[in-house]
Amino acid sequence: MLFRSVPTQPVLDSHAVLTPFGGGIDSVVTVRALAPSLTNRLFIMSPSTGTFAPLEATAALMGRDIQRATRTLDPRITTPTSRYFNGHVPVTAMVTLLATVSALATGRGGVVMSNEHSASVPNMMRGSQAINHQWSKSGQAERLLADAISERCGTALTVASFLRDRSELWVAREFARYHDVLPTFRSCNRAFRQSHADRAAQWCGECDKCLFIALVLAPFINASQLDIIFSGTSPLRRSELDGALRTLVGLGAQKKPFECVGDPDECAVALRAVVSHPDYSDIPHLHAISREIARLLGGEIVVESIIIDHATLNLERQENGDNNWTLAPEENPTEMDILDHLRLDKISVNNARVRFIDARRGTDPVELDMPSLSLAAPSRSEEHTSELQSLRHLVCRLLLEKK
C-alpha cells in the first residue's frame, strides 16, 4: 500500500517571534514597538564577506538576542562581463523565507516584518503594468508569501508586517523619539555594499535614500541634530540635490526613484512641514519646491514656457460671424475654466506665420510673418490679479501686439 505523507503541524510558541532586522528606521520602530509580553529575537542576514558594522552597532542597542544567517551571491551576478543581470534581487522575499525556516527550527510562532504601506507604491507605469523595484516588500507579495507558508506549514506560524498600515512619516515620528539610536543607525545603501573596501564609513549625504531619510526626520528633530547625523550637513541643505528632491515629492519626470523610499504624497507632506519650521527659513530651494506643491494642491497648473517653431496659424471668420479662434462658447464659458487655473510664464514664437481670412469683407487673405516674438508674464512682484498670468491674457497680448 502506498501512503501519502501527512504534514505534521509544528508546535510553536505564539508569544515568541523573530524580527528580521536591517538597522534602519523601520525595523528599529518595529522592535521597540512590539508588546513587551513577546519574546522577540532579531534575525540578521549577512553576506559571506562579513557583517555590516552600522547594522551590528544598531542591533546592539536593541538589547535582544540575535539569530543569524549567512548568504552568498552567485559570482556570475557581480561579474562585470557576465551576461547575467546585475540588479535588484527580491531580497525581502529571501529574508522572509529564511526567517520562516529559522522560526520553525526554533519553535517561534511569528515572523515580524517591517514593511510599511509605501512599499506597495510602484516606481513607474509601463502601459497598464505597474513596475515596483521593491515588489517583494509590497502588500501583495506579503499576502502571497504568507499564503504559501500557511499552505505548507499550517496556521500556527504567522508571517506579517507590523508596519503594513503605517506611513513613513508615522515611522519617522516614532523613530525620532529614540535618541539613543539617532547617532548610530544607518540607511544609506553605500554602507551595505558587498565589498568591504567599497562600503562608506558614514552617510554619503547625496543618494536618494539619504535625502529621503533627512526629509522624513526633519519635521520631528531639530536641524542641528539632523546635520550631526549626516556628518555636518543635512542633504536638505544641498541645493545640488534639488532635482532628486523634486522627484521624491512628485514633481519630477519619474514617478518615484528606484530606491526604497516613501511615496511622493507623504514626501510632499514632509516638505511642507519642513519649510514651516524656522530652522529651514534660509534654504531657498526648499521653499521654491514647496510653493510648487502648494500651487498643485490649490489646483494651479504652471507651464514655465511654450515654444512655437515654424507654425502657421490659420484664423478664419465666416459671413455669419462664426470664427475658429473662440476658446469657449459664450453661452457656456465654464467649459474652459481650466484655463483660468493655468499659469503660463512665457510663450515664444519663432519663424511663424499668421494667415487671416475674413469672409465678411471678401478680401484676399492677410498674412503676417513673425520671425521672432517672446512674451513673458509679469514677475511675482508685478502681479495684481491672477488674470495677468492667465493663458488667455498672454495669447491675447501675442495677437494684439502684432496686429
Side-chain angles (χ1 to χ4, degrees):
M1 180 182 292
L2 296 177
F3 295 92
R4 180 177 298 175
S5 61
V6 179
T8 303
Q9 182 83 349
V11 178
L12 304 174
D13 183 356
S14 61
H15 288 86
V17 299
L18 198 62
T19 304
F21 190 80
I25 66 174
D26 297 329
S27 55
V28 167
V29 168
T30 294
V31 172
R32 289 278 173 95
L34 284 176
S37 59
L38 295 175
T39 304
N40 181 20
R41 179 178 292 178
L42 306 185
F43 177 78
I44 295 179
M45 186 174 73
S46 304
S48 57
T49 54
T51 60
F52 297 110
L55 192 162
E56 296 297 324
T58 307
L61 296 174
M62 299 298 102
R64 301 287 193 278
D65 292 336
I66 300 175
Q67 203 152 310
R68 298 182 180 275
T70 301
R71 66 180 175 93
T72 302
L73 291 178
D74 189 317
R76 290 174 295 181
I77 294 177
T78 56
T79 302
T81 58
S82 173
R83 63 185 177 85
Y84 293 90
F85 287 117
N86 182 3
H88 197 284
V89 296
V91 64
T92 303
M94 299 175 184
V95 171
T96 302
L97 294 174
L98 286 170
T100 296
V101 172
S102 186
L104 290 169
T106 55
R108 296 178 177 275
V111 173
V112 185
M113 303 301 293
S114 303
N115 306 317
E116 37 63 55
H117 85 93
S118 71
S120 300
V121 177
N123 298 85
M124 63 180 294
M125 299 294 297
R126 185 173 178 85
S128 59
Q129 179 65 48
I131 298 174
N132 183 358
H133 98 292
Q134 53 175 345
W135 181 82
S136 67
K137 282 186 175 182
S138 70
Q140 182 185 22
E142 180 180 303
R143 290 189 294 273
L144 289 171
L145 284 170
D147 289 345
I149 292 168
S150 177
E151 179 183 332
R152 291 292 181 179
C153 305
T155 58
L157 178 65
T158 299
V159 179
S161 174
F162 180 75
L163 304 175
R164 179 59 63 192
D165 63 342
R166 303 296 181 176
S167 71
E168 284 281 20
L169 280 175
W170 182 90
V171 173
R173 184 191 67 186
E174 295 300 300
F175 181 82
R177 297 189 295 112
Y178 307 137
H179 298 286
D180 60 321
V181 184
L182 289 175
T184 307
F185 87 104
R186 195 83 52 79
S187 294
C188 176
N189 288 336
R190 296 183 188 182
F192 298 95
R193 288 177 171 171
Q194 295 299 306
S195 169
H196 276 281
D198 294 335
R199 294 176 189 173
Q202 302 293 335
W203 296 79
C204 76
E206 61 185 21
C207 70
D208 290 324
K209 193 62 177 285
C210 284
L211 182 58
F212 169 71
I213 293 296
L215 178 61
V216 294
L217 285 179
F220 308 110
I221 64 177
N222 62 60
S224 60
Q225 193 173 16
L226 197 61
D227 287 336
I228 292 172
I229 290 174
F230 289 95
S231 304
T233 303
S234 164
L236 295 178
R237 299 190 184 277
R238 302 177 62 172
S239 59
E240 68 269 26
L241 301 181
D242 178 271
L245 182 57
R246 290 174 59 84
T247 299
L248 280 180
V249 301
L251 296 177
Q254 186 178 330
K255 177 178 174 65
K256 182 182 175 185
F258 278 84
E259 182 55 89
C260 299
V261 296
D263 70 65
D265 289 343
E266 60 186 355
C267 288
V269 171
L271 181 59
R272 295 285 289 165
V274 168
V275 298
S276 67
H277 198 283
D279 286 350
Y280 298 94
S281 61
D282 59 343
I283 306 180
H285 73 276
L286 296 183
H287 289 266
I289 296 174
S290 179
R291 284 193 295 269
E292 289 189 53
I293 295 170
R295 288 196 294 265
L296 288 176
L297 293 176
E300 184 180 9
I301 303 170
V302 179
V303 178
E304 292 184 354
S305 67
I306 293 178
I307 300 175
I308 302 172
D309 197 22
H310 287 88
T312 298
L313 178 62
N314 292 305
L315 303 177
E316 184 173 352
R317 181 165 58 188
Q318 299 176 0
E319 291 184 0
N320 62 1
D322 291 343
N323 61 69
N324 66 349
W325 64 80
T326 301
L327 296 178
E330 291 184 1
E331 65 273 12
N332 189 16
T334 58
E335 289 183 4
M336 298 300 288
D337 277 353
I338 188 173
L339 293 179
D340 293 326
H341 297 277
L342 180 63
R343 198 190 90 190
L344 175 61
D345 289 341
K346 183 179 181 180
I347 182 168
S348 300
V349 179
N350 301 318
N351 301 310
R353 171 171 291 186
V354 177
R355 191 169 186 268
F356 179 53
I357 301 174
D358 191 349
R360 283 183 170 184
R361 296 185 178 183
T363 58
D364 292 336
V366 176
E367 295 186 354
L368 175 66
D369 289 329
M370 292 189 293
S372 179
L373 177 67
S374 181
L375 293 175
S379 64
R380 288 188 173 273
S381 61
E382 296 172 333
E383 291 178 16
H384 300 293
T385 66
S386 59
E387 183 183 359
L388 286 178
Q389 286 189 309
S390 71
L391 180 63
R392 286 195 182 97
H393 180 75
L394 282 179
V395 171
C396 288
R397 280 181 60 196
L398 177 65
L399 294 175
L400 290 175
E401 291 186 13
K402 296 299 293 184
K403 192 171 181 179

